[in-house]
Amino acid sequence: MNDFLPISRAEMEERGWTQPDFVYICGDSYIDHPSFGCAIITRVLESAGYKVAILSQPDVEEDAPFTQFGRPRLGFLISAGNVDSMVNHYTVAKKRRTTDFYTAGGVMGKRPDRATIVYSNIVRRLYPEAPILIGGVEASMRRFAHYDYWDNAVRPSILQDAKADLLLYGMGEHQIVEVADRLAAGEPVTAIRDVRGTCYFADRSELPDGYVECASFEKVRENKRSYAKAQAIQYNECDCATGHLLVQKHGDRVLVATPPSRPLAREELDRVYSLPYQRTYHPVYEALGGVPAIVEVEFSIIHNRGCFGGCNFCAIAVHQGRHVTSRSAESVLEEAERMTHNPRFKGYIHDVGGPTANFRGPSCDGQLERGMCKNGRKCLAPTPCPKLKVDHREYDDILERMRRIPGIKKVFVRSGIRFDYLNLDRDQTFFDHLVKYHVSGQLKVAPENCSDRVLRAMGKPGIASYRKFQRAFYQKTKQIGKKQYLVPYLMSSHPGSGLKEAIDLALFLKEEGLRPQQVQDFYPTPFSISTCMYYTGMDPFTLEEIYVATDPHEKAMQRALIQYFLPQNQQLVLEALKRAGRWDLIGFGPECLVKPDAKTAAALRARRQAQGEKRGQSRRPAGRQKGGREPWHSAKPSAGRPKSKKKR
C-alpha cells in the first residue's frame, strides 16, 4: 500500500475501509502536492480523522466509476480541479486546446466542460439523498450570477445548475472541517447555514437579519448597469473583516453567501503545509508519462497566500482574498530541507513565491480590523497608499538561510515579484540579493501594458513604475557582472485598450528591443472586475463607460501588433496602422513598425503627393510633415515634425 489516498475500491480496501466518509471527485489527475486544492482539502480532512477516497477524472458516460466506493458516510465533495474547466479546455479565441497540463500524459478530454455541474448532476441522480458539496476555483468564481464568456450570456449561480446542497468558496480549510464535523454529528446538510465562506439556497422567509442584497439573476441578465452595480456590491462584501451576508434572488429562491472565511493564521498555514503530502502524482500515472503540472511546482515553495495588489483581471482577490498571510520562516525552511532528501531533487529550488512573491503580511496596520478599502481603491495603484507598509526583511532572511542549507545549490524567484512594491523599499538589501542570487538569467515581471489609461483599468501602476524598476535592475545586474534580463508579461485587448493603445504597446516593445514569442490576450474569466468591464462596458465602481474591444478582428489586430515583427502578421499590422491613421509607422525607416506591401506602397506615394500639393497651396513654410501622433511616451499629440534649425 502506498501513502497516497485511495483512488479505487481496491486501494480503499487495502486500508481496511468498507466505506469512506467522503468521496472527493476531481477533474484533475490526482497529484498529492499542496499546490493543488484536491491535495490540501483531502489531507486536511484526513488530519481531522476522516476517511477520504479520491475519484479522479471519472468517465461521465458510465455510472460505474461514480458507484465504485458506494455511498460515502457523510457526502460527496466535487471540484472541477485547479482551473475552471472552460478555461482549461478553450483558448481566448474559443478554440479547443490540445494539451491538458493537469491530466496524465497531457491528454485533453478527460474531464467534461462545466465539470462541476456534470459531476454533481450525476451524483444527484445516483444518490438523491447524499449531501453534495462543491468547491474549487470553478465553483468559487461562479458562486453568483455571472457573465460566461463561452455562452456570451449571464448564467445563474453554479450552485443552481449543479443541484448541490452547499458551495464552499475560497481556500476552504476552515469550512470543510466545520461542515464535516457537523455532518458527522448528525446535523442534516440543509441545516448548515451559518458557516463562513459558504453559499446555499433558501426561501426569503428563512433569511436572518443584517443581510445585503444585490440585483437578482433575472435583472443582471437583462440589464448591464444592474450587473455592474451587483458586481461592485459582491466585491465590496468579499472581505473577511467587514463582509456581510449577501443575497441574490434566483427565481423563487434566494442565493445566500455567508461572509468570507477568515484567512488561516500563520500557525494554521504552517500546519497545512506540514501534512504528509507525497509531493508528486499518483504512481498509476507513471506509465502514461506523468502529469505535466507537477514539473513547475514539485521543487517550488509557496510561502504566502492572498494578494493586496488587487489587479482587476485576477481571481485571487475574490478567491484567496486581499488579506496576505504567510508561513513562518521555520515552516518554509523545513520544506526546503525535506526537498534535499528527495532522490529527484537536483539542488535547485525553482521558486519561492506565491500569488505575489514579495508580500509577507498585511498592507497596513488596520487591515484585519477595518478590512480592505472598498469601491476599487487599491494599495498600490494608480499610486501607492501612504499607509502601505513596505518590508522585505523577513523574506530576504528566509532566502538567505535557504541558500545555506546543505544540498541546495540555487534558490530562484522566477515570477510573482511586485516591482512597484519593491520600488518603495528604501532598503535595497533584498533587491541587491534578488539580482545577485535569485535570478536564473531571466526574471518575469508583469507591467502588462505601457498605456497609463489601460493600466488604470487593469488596476496596475503607471508605466513609470516599471521604468524605475527596470533601470535599477539592469544597473544592479551590470554592477555584479552578470547577463540577466527582464521578461515582461504583456496583455492585449484588455478593457480600455483600443488600436491607439495597442500601437503604443508595439512601439514600447520596439523601443525596448523585445520580441515576445507568446502573446496573452485578455481572457474574460468569471467574477473578475475586468470581465465585468468587458461585458458591461463600464467600470463597476464608477459606472463610467470604458472602451472594450469585442470584435474578434480588432482583437486579432491588437494581438498582431504585439508581434508586429512576424511576417504572418504584416497584413493585420498594416490594417491596424491605417485604421488608426498611423501611416508614419509604415515604411523602411528605424521608426517604422512594418514595411509596406505593393498596395500600401502605392497608397503611401499617393498620400505624399496629395500632401505635397496641399503644402504647396498653403501659406505656411514648406517642410516635410509627419502625420499621426508621437510615440507612446510622448505627453502630447504632435502637430507635426519640429522644424529643423538648419537653413534649407
Side-chain angles (χ1 to χ4, degrees):
M1 181 176 69
N2 60 57
D3 290 321
F4 289 84
L5 296 177
I7 64 169
S8 66
R9 181 84 191 183
E11 287 189 7
M12 183 182 77
E13 292 175 346
E14 281 184 51
R15 289 176 170 249
W17 302 355
T18 57
Q19 181 188 36
D21 295 320
F22 292 99
V23 173
Y24 189 114
I25 304 176
C26 185
D28 294 339
S29 293
Y30 174 33
I31 303 178
D32 190 28
H33 187 285
S35 291
F36 301 86
C38 172
I40 288 179
I41 294 300
T42 55
R43 289 297 184 184
V44 165
L45 281 170
E46 180 191 45
S47 71
Y50 294 102
K51 300 172 184 177
V52 187
I54 294 175
L55 180 55
S56 176
Q57 298 185 321
D59 183 352
V60 298
E61 300 300 323
E62 303 287 340
D63 289 346
F66 292 87
T67 60
Q68 63 176 302
F69 297 110
R71 174 176 169 168
R73 184 173 71 93
L74 298 178
F76 287 90
L77 311 176
I78 296 176
S79 168
N82 253 34
V83 180
D84 185 284
S85 59
M86 301 301 286
V87 176
N88 180 276
H89 286 170
Y90 300 99
T91 70
V92 67
K94 301 183 181 180
K95 295 180 180 178
R96 188 80 168 180
R97 299 188 194 275
T98 57
T99 303
D100 185 343
F101 289 96
Y102 295 92
T103 294
V107 176
M108 181 57 72
K110 291 295 184 178
R111 84 188 82 208
D113 287 356
R114 311 193 188 283
T116 302
I117 296 171
V118 174
Y119 293 153
S120 186
N121 276 272
I122 291 173
V123 171
R124 179 59 74 211
R125 174 174 57 83
L126 296 172
Y127 299 98
E129 304 303 320
I132 299 175
L133 284 60
I134 61 174
V137 169
E138 181 166 276
S140 186
M141 302 305 291
R142 295 173 179 268
R143 58 189 184 264
F144 297 107
H146 56 279
Y147 171 70
D148 184 89
Y149 176 65
W150 305 272
D151 281 356
N152 192 28
V154 175
R155 293 178 66 97
S157 167
I158 193 173
L159 187 61
Q160 176 169 297
D161 286 337
K163 301 181 177 65
D165 296 294
L166 208 57
L167 184 156
L168 280 59
Y169 71 86
M171 297 303 286
E173 293 98 340
H174 281 154
Q175 302 97 299
I176 193 63
V177 173
E178 183 175 353
V179 171
D181 288 348
R182 290 169 68 168
L183 289 172
E187 189 172 351
V189 69
T190 53
I192 300 175
R193 294 291 183 259
D194 56 349
V195 178
R196 294 177 69 105
T198 61
C199 297
Y200 59 89
F201 274 108
D203 293 330
R204 187 171 288 276
S205 61
E206 300 172 324
L207 295 178
D209 295 331
Y211 63 83
V212 173
E213 186 164 6
C214 63
S216 69
F217 160 56
E218 290 78 13
K219 190 167 184 178
V220 300
R221 181 179 57 185
E222 301 301 327
N223 187 293
K224 291 185 177 181
R225 189 176 182 87
S226 296
Y227 186 102
K229 288 181 176 180
Q231 174 92 54
I233 293 170
Q234 292 158 10
Y235 191 88
N236 284 339
E237 297 302 330
C238 193
D239 187 281
C240 64
T242 62
H244 296 84
L245 196 78
L246 183 58
V247 305
Q248 184 178 47
K249 187 172 178 289
H250 281 59
D252 296 332
R253 298 189 300 165
V254 178
L255 175 75
V256 181
T258 63
S261 177
R262 286 193 170 270
L264 299 185
R266 177 166 285 190
E267 297 76 17
E268 293 175 309
L269 202 56
D270 286 353
R271 183 170 176 273
V272 166
Y273 281 87
S274 70
L275 297 174
Y277 306 99
Q278 297 303 292
R279 297 184 176 274
T280 187
Y281 48 78
H282 192 283
V284 73
Y285 304 127
E286 195 65 50
L288 302 173
V291 184
I294 193 63
V295 175
E296 287 298 317
V297 301
E298 184 177 12
F299 299 116
S300 295
I301 297 174
I302 297 171
H303 74 93
N304 62 3
R305 258 190 202 174
C307 179
F308 54 73
C311 297
N312 287 336
F313 50 79
C314 182
I316 292 170
V318 290
H319 183 65
Q320 289 193 7
R322 290 192 289 160
H323 294 263
V324 172
T325 55
S326 56
R327 298 165 61 187
S328 68
E330 290 69 27
S331 171
V332 175
L333 294 169
E334 284 172 10
E335 182 175 346
E337 198 278 333
R338 284 197 303 269
M339 286 183 181
T340 65
H341 303 288
N342 187 323
R344 297 184 298 275
F345 184 64
K346 305 300 182 184
Y348 299 93
I349 293 182
H350 298 158
D351 198 10
V352 182
T356 295
N358 51 328
F359 290 172
R360 287 282 296 167
S363 58
C364 65
D365 291 330
Q367 185 187 101
L368 286 177
E369 292 74 27
R370 297 189 297 271
M372 302 296 292
C373 292
K374 298 182 182 296
N375 298 317
R377 293 180 61 192
K378 301 182 185 298
C379 300
L380 283 159
T383 56
C385 175
K387 296 180 181 179
L388 182 66
K389 294 172 62 177
V390 181
D391 192 343
H392 289 91
R393 288 174 295 179
E394 187 178 41
Y395 186 40
D396 186 49
D397 178 67
I398 289 171
L399 294 173
E400 182 179 358
R401 292 167 64 185
M402 196 177 293
R403 295 197 303 266
R404 297 200 299 262
I405 295 175
I408 292 180
K409 299 175 183 177
K410 288 285 186 180
V411 179
F412 296 120
V413 179
R414 292 201 166 173
S415 63
I417 288 291
R418 187 78 189 220
F419 60 80
D420 50 340
Y421 182 75
L422 183 53
N423 283 343
L424 299 174
D425 197 340
R426 295 181 180 179
D427 183 350
Q428 293 285 292
T429 304
F430 169 69
F431 201 168
D432 291 337
H433 289 169
L434 174 70
V435 173
K436 186 174 183 179
Y437 299 115
H438 304 296
V439 177
S440 59
Q442 296 180 338
L443 178 65
K444 296 177 181 179
V445 289
E448 301 292 359
N449 209 283
C450 65
S451 163
D452 284 352
R453 172 187 169 187
V454 179
L455 290 168
R456 184 178 288 271
M458 290 178 166
K460 300 282 286 185
I463 193 62
S465 180
Y466 174 72
R467 286 295 202 185
K468 179 180 178 180
F469 172 78
Q470 181 187 51
R471 288 192 298 269
F473 176 86
Y474 283 116
Q475 182 180 13
K476 293 175 186 296
T477 294
K478 184 177 180 180
Q479 288 171 351
I480 61 175
K482 287 188 174 182
K483 289 186 177 180
Q484 297 180 149
Y485 303 94
L486 293 177
V487 178
Y489 287 119
L490 298 165
M491 185 185 296
S492 68
S493 302
H494 187 277
S497 177
L499 286 181
K500 175 190 178 300
E501 288 74 22
I503 292 168
D504 290 347
L505 184 53
L507 291 168
F508 166 77
L509 293 170
K510 185 177 179 68
E511 181 177 330
E512 294 296 317
L514 297 171
R515 294 196 164 198
Q517 298 306 304
Q518 293 181 326
V519 176
Q520 180 186 6
D521 284 352
F522 168 65
Y523 204 144
T525 54
F527 204 1
S528 77
I529 296 298
S530 295
T531 297
C532 178
M533 293 178 181
Y534 175 87
Y535 172 60
T536 66
M538 62 185 76
D539 183 318
F541 301 110
T542 65
L543 300 181
E544 294 177 354
E545 291 187 5
I546 187 168
Y547 178 78
V548 179
T550 57
D551 175 60
H553 190 65
E554 182 187 342
K555 291 170 71 174
M557 286 191 286
Q558 290 203 33
R559 179 187 176 93
L561 280 161
I562 295 181
Q563 294 178 308
Y564 65 90
F565 48 85
L566 295 178
Q568 60 265 36
N569 287 341
Q570 182 191 33
Q571 291 304 316
L572 282 170
V573 173
L574 284 171
E575 183 181 352
L577 295 175
K578 293 174 188 176
R579 188 178 293 189
R582 295 304 307 268
W583 292 82
D584 56 301
L585 298 178
I586 303 171
F588 299 91
E591 76 281 3
C592 294
L593 289 176
V594 65
K595 297 176 182 178
D597 57 14
K599 184 177 179 180
T600 305
L604 278 169
R605 287 193 295 271
R607 284 176 62 85
R608 292 194 191 104
Q609 183 178 357
Q611 288 172 354
E613 293 173 354
K614 186 175 180 180
R615 284 199 299 268
Q617 297 171 0
S618 173
R619 294 184 179 180
R620 288 179 295 176
R624 194 173 65 180
Q625 299 283 325
K626 180 178 179 179
R629 289 165 283 187
E630 289 290 342
W632 66 275
H633 50 75
S634 177
K636 297 180 180 180
S638 173
R641 178 175 294 177
K643 299 176 185 177
S644 172
K645 293 183 180 180
K646 183 178 178 181
K647 292 183 179 180
R648 294 186 181 275

